[in-house]
Amino acid sequence: MGEQSSAAADWWRQAAVYQIYPRSFADGNGDGIGDLQGIISRIDYLAALGIDAVWLSPFYPSALADGGYDVDDYRDIDPRIGTLAEFDELTRLLHTAGIKLIIDIVPNHSSNRHRWFVEALESVPGSSARDRYIFRDGKGAHGELPPSDWQSVFGGSAWTRVPDGQWYLHLFAEEQPDLNWDNPDVHAEFLDTLEFWGDRGVDGFRIDVAHALKKDLPDELPDEATLLEGTFADGEHPIWDRDEVHQIYADWRKLFNRYSPPLTAVAEAWVPAHRRVRYASPEGLGQAFNFDLLRARFAVDEFRKIITENLDLAARSGASSTWVFSNHDVIRHATRYGLPAAEATGDFGPPAARDWLKAGAPPEQEDREAGSAKARAATLLALALPGSAYLYQGEELGLPEVGSIPADRRQDPTFFRTEGEEIGRDGCRVPLPWTAEGISFGFGAGPAHLPQPDWFAEYAVSVQAGDPQSTLELYRSALGLRHQLQTDEQLEWVDLGDPQVLAFRRPNGWLSVTNFTGTPVPLPDGELLISSAGASETSETSETDSADRHGLPGYATAWLQQ
Ligand code: NOJ
Ligand code: CA
């Protein structure tokens, strides 16, 4: 491979990937639901932001039992979102703008409206149609009890009974029956699907629940307590992260490598750090999400440990690392960092933050200023790291979580399946504010499918664009500068003598310095390139509010050229 083509093949290694949740990005036809035309109309915005790739969350036909992660047809577009012709147009226009396209593949489960599941229900127990899913007879004298006491990730039983008495497994909502990956039809179907999109020109895939496809389900199933607390050797849990899952990805990799440059893939696998290596290996998917920063507090020791460990893991896998603070599943980081005692964290956001949402999101508990400062500092730090940065739509606006959504407007199955015990993920999926005015703040010509609060006006793109102090301009400048950092993937820690300050140098000589305390610290010599505390030109007005040669304000990151 020539130098140029190998560089092209490596485009993903340090890419800034911007996640679009299509139903909430931009609405082209005013029906309240974001769509492909909406995205097409915002390509200039994406290009000006300076991202390298877009990751589209599911756009497939779906009853939206789980925000589109319940897929009716893997090779089509939801008519409310667009058409295949529009998809092709979007791909072409993104490529013209120099932006790659990654799409979401959901292989662990289909929806219950998928033609296969409909066929399975029309077929008898034991039939080959049923074998594409995980059907079992129930327990009890008449099979009236589920095969096990397993709970779904969204709450409630993981089994649902069908009219003839059998039960099927769904790790998520009951509208999301788990596919049986021991069945060859399932393998063939997904290879065809990946090829279908590869041939249409997509550049890569994000693989949903990549760690659950292979299951080991004996006749006598272990109980829920054993699943949760049992000690299983690595790769031997009955459901999660079994070693055999990598056989699937080895086959996929062969397909990906038939394209030039090879298609990329990133695993969504909630597995212990050392287990990410195989998902991320070049013989497998090639990259895996590292959610460690997303789960961490804004604390210097946690950041240092996570960065060190993940750079090491990435090197061991042959991949580059990934850095993520926000996505469509968790409480936005501008809010997480603004809540008191956001200590231990869980998959859908720290319990303290979830409790805050449950309590009706009392505004007096949310320190928006601190949350914003820390989020900006954390993001600027991560953008200086080697590896890919995955950004979630709206974080470039510093958008906080929407805490108050009326129960009758909520959509997340988590909310319904836990009877409101868990508020769910709607608060980070509220359609974006593009303008300070308008029925849906410029999202579209009609009201948005999830209600937007009045305070969205102050976060609108139109309000922030051109304001050097805004979070939008911080992201634009940082993403622009970032391309100069990507000469190689080295990082050298620099000890500035203060344990609360994290600093590292990149091979181009740039130094990233983060102050994890709330009070200013001195900055080493060097030309200030950018600061999360504000643009340096405006720093004369207040020496403590903005980074300048005198120091770095509290909760801030600066990049220096030395
Ligand atoms: C992970 C996705 O990110 C989430 O949104 C979805 O609910 C589950 N997988 C199930 O598909
Ligand atoms: Ca629409």
Side-chain angles (χ1 to χ4, degrees):
M1 219 181 241
E3 210 175 276
Q4 241 186 346
S5 56
S6 86
D10 279 359
W11 68 265
W12 52 274
R13 291 193 72 92
Q14 300 207 66
V17 184
Y18 182 85
Q19 181 190 356
I20 290 185
Y21 188 76
R23 290 174 182 81
S24 298
F25 183 69
D27 173 15
N29 64 356
D31 67 354
I33 299 166
D35 46 42
L36 299 184
Q37 283 302 343
I39 303 173
I40 287 173
S41 73
R42 300 291 179 185
I43 288 181
D44 288 351
Y45 174 81
L46 297 170
L49 190 55
I51 51 156
D52 303 296
V54 159
W55 148 29
L56 282 186
S57 278
F59 43 69
Y60 309 103
S62 169
L64 302 182
D66 179 23
Y69 284 88
D70 45 324
V71 178
D72 296 350
D73 181 345
Y74 292 92
R75 297 182 213 160
D76 206 350
I77 311 280
D78 191 313
R80 289 164 293 186
I81 290 193
T83 63
L84 282 168
E86 286 171 338
F87 181 88
D88 293 341
E89 178 71 351
L90 172 64
T91 310
R92 190 181 67 75
L93 292 170
L94 284 172
H95 286 165
T96 305
I99 299 172
K100 308 273 188 193
L101 177 60
I102 292 171
I103 64 168
D104 223 307
I105 295 289
V106 189
N108 179 67
H109 43 266
S110 73
S111 84
N112 60 345
R113 307 197 313 173
H114 189 280
R115 64 186 158 82
W116 273 0
F117 195 73
V118 172
E119 193 187 332
L121 289 192
E122 285 166 354
S123 306
V124 294
S127 57
S128 55
R130 287 226 169 160
D131 188 57
R132 297 186 186 121
Y133 293 91
I134 301 172
F135 278 88
R136 282 284 172 104
D137 292 330
K139 291 194 155 173
H142 308 286
E144 72 281 10
L145 299 173
S148 71
D149 64 345
W150 295 356
Q151 295 294 294
S152 93
V153 173
F154 296 152
S157 175
W159 297 95
T160 289
R161 201 171 194 200
V162 301
D164 62 35
Q166 275 208 312
W167 299 74
Y168 68 89
L169 178 70
H170 50 89
L171 294 182
F172 296 90
E174 70 180 81
E175 296 87 350
Q176 294 167 295
D178 279 53
L179 287 158
N180 172 18
W181 274 88
D182 292 334
N183 182 307
D185 289 358
V186 176
H187 274 273
E189 174 72 9
F190 275 89
L191 281 171
D192 287 352
T193 293
L194 294 166
E195 192 172 17
F196 174 87
W197 293 108
D199 289 353
R200 286 202 108 84
V202 310
D203 302 286
F205 303 103
R206 176 263 189 194
I207 310 302
D208 190 64
V209 212
H211 56 313
L213 275 47
K214 279 288 191 172
K215 301 171 179 88
D216 178 32
L217 304 179
D219 288 344
E220 198 50 45
L221 296 171
D223 63 9
E224 174 77 359
T226 309
L227 284 190
L228 291 176
E229 286 141 32
T231 44
F232 296 97
D234 277 353
E236 288 183 11
H237 190 279
I239 296 176
W240 305 111
D241 190 30
R242 293 191 62 76
D243 285 335
E244 307 91 89
V245 80
H246 297 290
Q247 292 157 9
I248 302 172
Y249 303 134
D251 285 347
W252 289 14
R253 174 47 59 191
K254 287 184 202 126
L255 174 83
F256 297 162
N257 287 351
R258 297 213 307 262
Y259 292 81
S260 177
L263 303 181
T264 68
V266 56
E268 187 225 17
W270 295 83
V271 297
H274 71 281
R275 295 284 296 173
R276 278 203 287 276
V277 172
R278 280 189 75 184
Y279 293 89
S281 85
E283 294 78 38
L285 293 174
Q287 208 178 39
F289 281 130
N290 140 32
F291 292 125
D292 299 347
L293 284 182
L294 174 152
R295 306 171 78 144
R297 292 173 307 159
F298 185 78
V300 67
D301 293 340
E302 290 185 37
F303 271 57
R304 187 189 290 107
K305 180 167 173 289
I306 287 169
I307 295 166
T308 308
E309 183 179 45
N310 279 286
L311 290 178
D312 177 51
L313 289 172
R316 272 167 47 199
S317 65
S320 59
S321 192
T322 57
W323 310 107
V324 191
F325 291 105
S326 282
N327 63 31
H328 65 297
D329 287 332
V330 298
I331 297 168
R332 285 183 177 277
H333 67 295
T335 293
R336 289 202 313 268
Y337 290 151
L339 293 173
E343 299 290 331
T345 64
D347 287 359
F348 291 142
R354 300 211 311 269
D355 287 349
W356 170 77
L357 283 179
K358 223 174 356 180
E364 67 281 5
Q365 284 176 24
E366 185 186 12
D367 183 341
R368 286 232 169 125
E369 209 178 315
S372 163
K374 291 178 185 176
R376 288 164 57 114
T379 300
L380 194 59
L381 182 164
L383 288 178
L385 292 171
S388 324
Y390 284 82
L391 311 171
Y392 176 52
Q393 68 178 39
E395 70 165 85
E396 78 279 20
L397 305 176
L399 213 56
E401 184 84 359
V402 177
S404 47
I405 297 175
D408 62 357
R409 300 292 304 276
R410 289 206 172 265
Q411 299 177 6
D412 187 349
T414 317
F415 179 74
F416 303 106
R417 294 185 63 88
T418 63
E419 291 169 355
E421 188 52 28
E422 290 285 341
I423 293 296
R425 301 158 292 172
D426 297 317
C428 63
R429 300 175 177 183
V430 176
L432 294 191
W434 294 90
T435 57
E437 320 278 314
I439 187 150
S440 54
F441 300 106
F443 166 68
H449 68 98
L450 274 170
Q452 300 158 300
D454 292 345
W455 53 259
F456 256 34
E458 64 192 270
Y459 291 88
V461 172
S462 65
V463 172
Q464 298 196 35
D467 173 2
Q469 304 294 332
S470 71
T471 300
L472 177 59
E473 293 299 343
L474 175 72
Y475 271 68
R476 284 177 175 167
S477 306
L479 288 166
L481 286 168
R482 178 181 150 85
H483 289 115
Q484 297 174 49
L485 280 169
Q486 296 171 337
T487 48
D488 69 27
E489 295 175 32
Q490 301 306 306
L491 170 153
E492 178 199 343
W493 291 111
V494 175
D495 184 356
L496 293 178
D498 182 338
Q500 289 299 319
V501 173
L502 198 61
F504 55 87
R505 186 175 287 113
R506 293 296 302 275
N508 68 349
W510 289 9
L511 189 69
S512 172
V513 185
T514 302
N515 177 7
F516 279 83
T517 72
T519 48
V521 296
L523 266 181
D525 288 342
E527 180 200 346
L528 180 65
L529 297 164
I530 187 170
S531 162
S532 70
S536 56
E537 311 83 82
T538 59
S539 61
E540 296 90 324
T541 46
S542 161
E543 287 189 8
T544 49
D545 281 339
S546 299
D548 61 15
R549 65 184 184 284
H550 302 296
L552 182 61
Y555 307 137
T557 294
W559 295 357
L560 302 173
Q561 166 80 67
Q562 288 193 308

